[in-house]
Amino acid sequence: MSALASRLVQAVMVAVLIGTATFAMMRALPGDAAWRIAAGRYGYDNVNAQAADAVRQELGLGGPVLPALGRWFADLARLDFGTSLVSGQPVIDEIGHQLGASLQLAVAALLLSLLIGPPLGILAGLRPGGVLDRTLLVLSTGLKAVPQFLMALLLILFLAVHLRWLPAAGHGEARHFILPSLTLALGLAAVNARIARDAMARIAAMPFYRFAQWKGLSPRQALLRHGLRNVSVPLVTYLGLQFVTLVEGVVVVESVFGWPGIGHALVHAIFSRDVPMVQGTALVLGLGFVLVNAGIDLAVRRLDPRVSA
Amino acid sequence: MPRLLPPVPTKLRAKLRATLPAALLATLLAATAPSLAQPADETLDVVAQFEIQAPEPSTSGYIFTRMGLAETLVNAAADGRLEPGLATGWEVSPDGLAWRFVLREGVRFHDDTPMTAEAVANALEIARAKPGPLAGLPIAAITADGDAVAITLTEPLAALPAFLAEFRSQILAPAAYDGDGKGVAIIGTGPYRVTQMTPPLALKATAWDGYWGEAPHIAHVSYTAVSRVETRALMAESGDADFVFALDPASVARLGLSDAVEVHSVAIPRTLLLKVNAAHPFLAEPAVRQALSLAIDREGIARAVLRYPEGAGQLFPPSVADWHNPALEPLAHDIDAARALLGDLGWTPGDDGILRRGDDRFSLTLLTYPDRPELPLVAAVLEQQFRAIGVEVVINTTNSSEIPAGHQDGSLQIALLARNFSLIPDPIGTVLSDYAPTGDWGAMGWDNPAFTALARSLARGEGGAAERAEAARILQEDLPVIPIAWYRQTLAVARDIEGTVIDPWERSFGLPALRRTR
């Protein structure tokens, strides 16, 4: 319970810090915000002094800093994220739409990576130095080294253009999930396969595991009863870190596959100085991070009772 | 292999248990793959780079007109001639101040309300209150007048109908706006009506059965915004999209070899040019601007970077027929002549090869923006070509708004940009806003009274071909901006679609005319 309470305090602190930091950073950026917002709204063909003046007048930009930040926090306390300076739509609606799309993609990628990585890692860890172990080392190092942008294009070229199995990009149908989530999953699997392999090799070499086999359990029984649970502890802990990789990856992958997600939205919002949108998006991502870690704490406690003891 | 015998069954099972899910997934994928790749229906899928911000004509309106959702009073033919749109005709009083646009009968908005003169006047008044070309016009009032809309001017403006062909002058139903005039829905009169809109990336539409004109051949269309040009090209190649707009030169070369798509290309009234601050002490003399112009290898840039057949010989491309002046000597490439011109003005090479005059070192900052992927590439080439005549250029690739902002505060030195002369189908609109005498995206620190007078009289409707040719000549001689290349619009269309016509005025995708052959 105390763990949850501390996570709650953490969440509030994250909200205050992120809100203030994004606000300060957006204010500190060089260039006139009215011009940037006008460029975001009207596009490069139509941004001119008249459009920038209209934006400045409409939004009352350039007022004092502290009251503006205070207003944002007051609104936030009422769960009002404000409206986007560029599209004029409520920020909460835009984030809701985009976060949903990103979450779907992230969850699909995570599940796919768990299907690919850990099983191979465990098999490799059971026979350290074997053919599978060495192949997996080369493969996972290689996959991790390929930038996601390149991986995405290679997958599109092979699976969509050459074999014509899957759509190259787009959003809205189940088939559109496969390529972007596979792009993300391969990078994640490359790492969690290594984690699973190292954990498995360590555990398989431990006396209790040897004892389990010595007392007559088959390799399968030993793995299921004594191996998997121990391997899953570092794996689950590492998921928290992989969330960061996912958020990074989502920004790149979303722009390549035309996915209407939060990474895409954040990049555009920063470019056109859409302060409420940047604050809202960063806040949601930050709180998401706290939430994921709280969930992982709970999961690890269930998996390994020693932690809470 | 006897040594494997006893432990194998369990081990194998363990292995299977571990790998089975992955194997199953792979089989499932392979089994369903062919059906996954095929679109379920006969929807025409359009892909372009433009993101939909909101149901707001002043910001995203160009997507709605291109997709055939909304229409304007006046249309433009491929050669730039104005044609009737929602207005069947227009007339102007002898003093040029009172215009009457007679509305087409029997037009219904997508909410099944009739298009009345009041509705049209309402839409235009709302458009005029927002930033855009209408806001800058000498309009006194827009009122309903029986079956027509009357527009009263405070001074004559011959090009008024062309301004009404611009996307921000689109006519939406009164229910499309909220009390403050903000767009809340796209309720237009076009051949397609919106069925689903999910900003920023997607839109679906279906044929509007109350359309006044000919019904489209393909009933369902979708629009997807994909900002990366590589992805758009791959979507065309893989058959995901039927109509892919705006391709980069490298993709055009590759898609040209594909059996799945046909690449279409047409010259459009858009020019790649170098905006020059003529008030800057280094750039004030026309001879310096001529020297910079002579340093540019336009053929090289056109062929190697843009993969176009030729560079720009003057500001207005041949597609802007009224303003292109074929009698003008094309802009040339001559490094020795450029060096000589600068030498005559007292610039001599320093130790580092960069020109000096007194304490001045000929170094300039060039602004450009990455929204159009070719701009940073061309900027890098220009840096090399200017260095060859002893001019140093520091490239700053930044937000597009830095160019008009730098124009306003006078800090801009030179900028590389792509300027569209077709936003308003009569280029006089852009000429007036950019060169009479200066403009955010045109001339800077330049004032040629003869040109300004000429442009203003042309805008009032006085003068004709001879005056326009003279205006083009002044721009060629004085070089307030230095033209580099004339753009082409390229798009890829699936082979089983016919009827593609590229609109050089970038107003329409021409979807209603497309039909499937299979």
Side-chain angles (χ1 to χ4, degrees):
Chain A
M1 226 37 232
S2 72
L4 277 187
S6 82
R7 286 292 185 195
L8 202 66
V9 174
Q10 209 183 350
V12 173
M13 282 175 58
V14 163
V16 172
L17 274 176
I18 287 185
T20 317
T22 47
F23 187 85
M25 284 192 276
M26 295 304 283
R27 284 270 171 158
L29 285 175
D32 185 338
W35 279 104
R36 298 298 167 95
I37 295 165
R41 275 192 195 179
Y42 302 106
Y44 57 83
D45 269 341
N46 301 307
V47 54
N48 55 24
Q50 181 201 8
D53 284 344
V55 166
R56 195 172 288 120
Q57 229 167 23
E58 178 196 327
L59 300 176
L61 294 170
V65 175
L66 282 179
L69 183 62
R71 270 198 303 280
W72 185 74
F73 275 117
D75 287 346
L76 187 65
R78 289 182 282 116
L79 290 181
D80 178 0
F81 283 56
T83 49
S84 159
L85 303 183
V86 172
S87 73
Q89 307 296 308
V91 168
I92 193 78
D93 291 359
E94 299 215 343
I95 292 181
H97 174 64
Q98 289 152 345
L99 184 68
S102 286
L103 271 185
Q104 289 171 348
L105 185 60
V107 168
L110 208 57
L111 289 180
L112 202 57
S113 81
L114 289 178
L115 280 179
I116 302 170
L120 288 172
I122 289 172
L123 284 180
L126 284 171
R127 281 233 181 137
V131 178
L132 179 63
D133 189 22
R134 279 177 289 163
T135 319
L136 198 64
L137 178 65
V138 173
L139 258 183
S140 58
T141 315
L143 280 179
K144 189 66 198 156
V146 177
Q148 269 160 336
F149 177 75
L150 183 62
M151 175 65 78
L153 289 182
L154 288 177
L155 284 176
I156 296 178
L157 269 179
F158 186 64
L159 290 174
V161 175
H162 186 67
L163 292 176
R164 302 241 163 175
W165 282 4
L166 293 165
H171 172 252
E173 289 164 53
R175 63 201 177 101
H176 290 130
F177 268 98
I178 301 173
L179 279 185
S181 58
L182 190 63
T183 308
L184 287 169
L186 286 177
L188 296 176
V191 179
N192 61 27
R194 294 306 302 162
I195 304 260
R197 181 262 171 216
D198 289 351
M200 191 66 237
R202 190 167 47 80
I203 285 154
M206 279 187 173
F208 80 88
Y209 201 82
R210 297 251 181 95
F211 178 74
Q213 286 173 312
W214 176 80
K215 77 181 178 187
L217 293 183
S218 70
R220 174 176 165 238
Q221 284 170 320
L223 177 68
L224 291 182
R225 288 193 200 163
H226 301 287
L228 286 189
R229 190 165 185 157
N230 280 303
V231 172
S232 63
V233 174
L235 259 184
V236 170
T237 312
Y238 194 72
L239 280 184
L241 283 177
Q242 289 207 306
F243 185 73
V244 183
T245 321
L246 258 180
V247 169
E248 271 174 27
V250 151
V251 173
V252 177
V253 166
E254 282 176 352
S255 89
V256 175
F257 288 99
W259 196 269
I262 204 159
H264 178 95
L266 186 60
V267 172
H268 276 249
I270 292 175
F271 209 65
S272 51
R273 294 295 163 84
D274 196 346
V275 181
M277 194 64 199
V278 174
Q279 281 179 305
T281 315
L283 184 69
V284 165
L285 285 177
L287 292 180
F289 202 70
V290 176
L291 192 71
V292 165
N293 279 298
I296 283 170
D297 280 359
L298 290 180
V300 169
R301 266 156 210 272
R302 269 197 87 85
L303 285 168
D304 188 352
R306 289 171 301 179
V307 176
S308 47
Chain B
M1 279 180 252
R3 71 184 168 87
L4 282 177
L5 271 178
V8 158
T10 46
K11 262 198 172 175
L12 215 122
R13 262 201 302 245
K15 272 191 187 178
L16 272 182
R17 190 176 274 269
T19 47
L20 206 60
L24 266 179
L25 188 85
T27 338
L28 198 78
L29 226 153
T32 51
S35 61
L36 284 171
Q38 292 300 324
D41 55 358
E42 291 295 287
T43 300
L44 181 86
D45 297 306
V46 178
V47 173
Q49 70 271 45
F50 316 110
E51 300 204 344
I52 309 161
Q53 292 183 5
E56 167 59 61
S58 72
T59 56
S60 301
Y62 51 92
I63 302 172
F64 312 142
T65 48
R66 279 183 163 116
M67 286 298 289
L69 308 172
E71 296 175 304
T72 47
L73 290 184
V74 179
N75 288 339
D79 60 2
R81 253 180 319 106
L82 295 179
E83 290 181 334
L86 291 176
T88 49
W90 45 90
E91 57 197 19
V92 60
S93 63
D95 61 2
L97 294 178
W99 286 79
R100 245 182 129 254
F101 292 84
V102 180
L103 300 180
R104 193 175 289 280
E105 280 174 31
V107 177
R108 302 187 78 77
F109 288 115
H110 296 157
D111 61 357
D112 215 21
T113 56
M115 183 187 76
T116 60
E118 286 76 18
V120 174
N122 174 60
L124 291 177
E125 279 293 5
I126 287 173
R128 191 159 78 91
K130 295 174 184 169
L134 281 188
L137 298 186
I139 295 177
I142 302 177
T143 49
D145 175 16
D147 61 346
V149 168
I151 301 183
T152 330
L153 303 178
T154 52
E155 59 181 90
L157 177 67
L160 180 67
F163 282 87
L164 296 180
E166 206 255 357
F167 72 86
R168 279 166 287 199
S169 305
Q170 61 186 256
I171 306 301
L172 300 184
Y177 309 95
D178 71 4
D180 302 328
K182 193 175 114 180
V184 289
I186 298 306
I187 309 173
T189 57
Y192 289 104
R193 65 180 171 83
V194 179
T195 52
Q196 189 192 353
M197 188 163 110
T198 39
L201 300 186
L203 182 152
K204 284 188 165 62
T206 189
W208 161 230
D209 51 21
Y211 186 54
W212 58 268
E214 211 175 309
H217 297 298
I218 299 179
H220 303 286
V221 293
S222 79
Y223 175 82
T224 310
V226 175
S227 53
R228 293 213 72 93
V229 64
E230 299 90 347
T231 308
R232 286 203 298 281
L234 289 168
M235 289 179 83
E237 201 172 352
S238 67
D240 272 331
D242 300 303
F243 187 99
V244 176
F245 190 73
L247 299 167
D248 61 317
S251 302
V252 168
R254 203 159 48 87
L255 287 176
L257 304 173
S258 164
D259 298 334
V261 294
E262 197 167 346
V263 175
H264 299 257
S265 168
V266 70
I268 54 169
R270 188 187 272 280
T271 303
L272 176 67
L273 56 88
L274 195 67
K275 177 182 168 81
V276 180
N277 179 358
H280 189 275
F282 298 176
L283 302 166
E285 298 101 331
V288 175
R289 304 196 291 269
Q290 275 151 12
L292 290 181
S293 171
L294 286 166
I296 301 172
D297 177 6
R298 295 179 174 77
E299 296 302 316
I301 292 175
R303 280 171 203 272
V305 182
L306 304 167
R307 317 237 175 146
Y308 292 167
E310 54 177 2
Q314 56 181 289
L315 181 61
F316 298 106
S319 57
V320 185
D322 282 352
W323 288 82
H324 179 81
N325 181 349
L328 290 179
E329 179 78 17
L331 296 168
H333 174 220
D334 187 340
I335 291 179
D336 294 331
R339 286 199 184 114
L341 277 174
L342 291 171
D344 292 346
L345 292 167
W347 290 98
T348 49
D351 299 335
D352 54 358
I354 302 302
L355 296 174
R356 278 162 215 277
R357 185 169 67 181
D359 292 336
D360 291 331
R361 186 165 175 274
F362 209 137
S363 175
L364 297 169
T365 300
L366 182 149
L367 290 188
T368 192
Y369 46 100
D371 306 47
R372 299 185 71 92
E374 73 282 0
L375 292 180
L377 289 177
V378 174
V381 177
L382 285 180
E383 184 192 12
Q384 298 297 317
Q385 297 184 348
F386 284 154
R387 182 168 288 275
I389 59 162
V391 173
E392 183 185 66
V393 168
V394 180
I395 300 173
N396 179 8
T397 303
T398 175
N399 187 283
S400 57
S401 67
E402 288 293 314
I403 292 174
H407 176 97
Q408 292 294 332
D409 66 19
S411 64
L412 183 136
Q413 297 183 334
I414 50 176
L416 184 69
L417 56 99
R419 188 59 171 153
N420 186 347
F421 293 104
S422 66
L423 282 173
I424 297 138
D426 187 335
I428 186 66
T430 313
V431 170
L432 267 184
S433 70
D434 289 4
Y435 301 102
T438 62
D440 285 354
W441 292 92
M444 176 172 179
W446 180 74
D447 191 1
N448 186 319
F451 183 88
T452 308
L454 204 56
R456 296 220 168 118
S457 73
L458 279 165
R460 284 192 299 271
E462 299 155 15
E467 282 71 21
R468 283 190 289 266
E470 170 63 8
R473 190 195 61 75
I474 295 176
L475 291 177
Q476 184 87 336
E477 205 159 84
D478 251 23
L479 288 176
V481 297
I482 302 174
I484 296 171
W486 296 318
Y487 273 96
R488 300 184 70 81
Q489 183 57 266
T490 45
L491 51 86
V493 182
R495 288 249 182 230
D496 62 350
I497 304 281
E498 64 175 31
T500 308
V501 178
I502 308 183
D503 175 11
W505 302 94
E506 302 190 71
R507 300 174 70 253
S508 167
F509 288 145
L511 303 184
L514 300 181
R515 60 166 89 224
R516 279 190 200 276
T517 51
R518 100 176 121 70

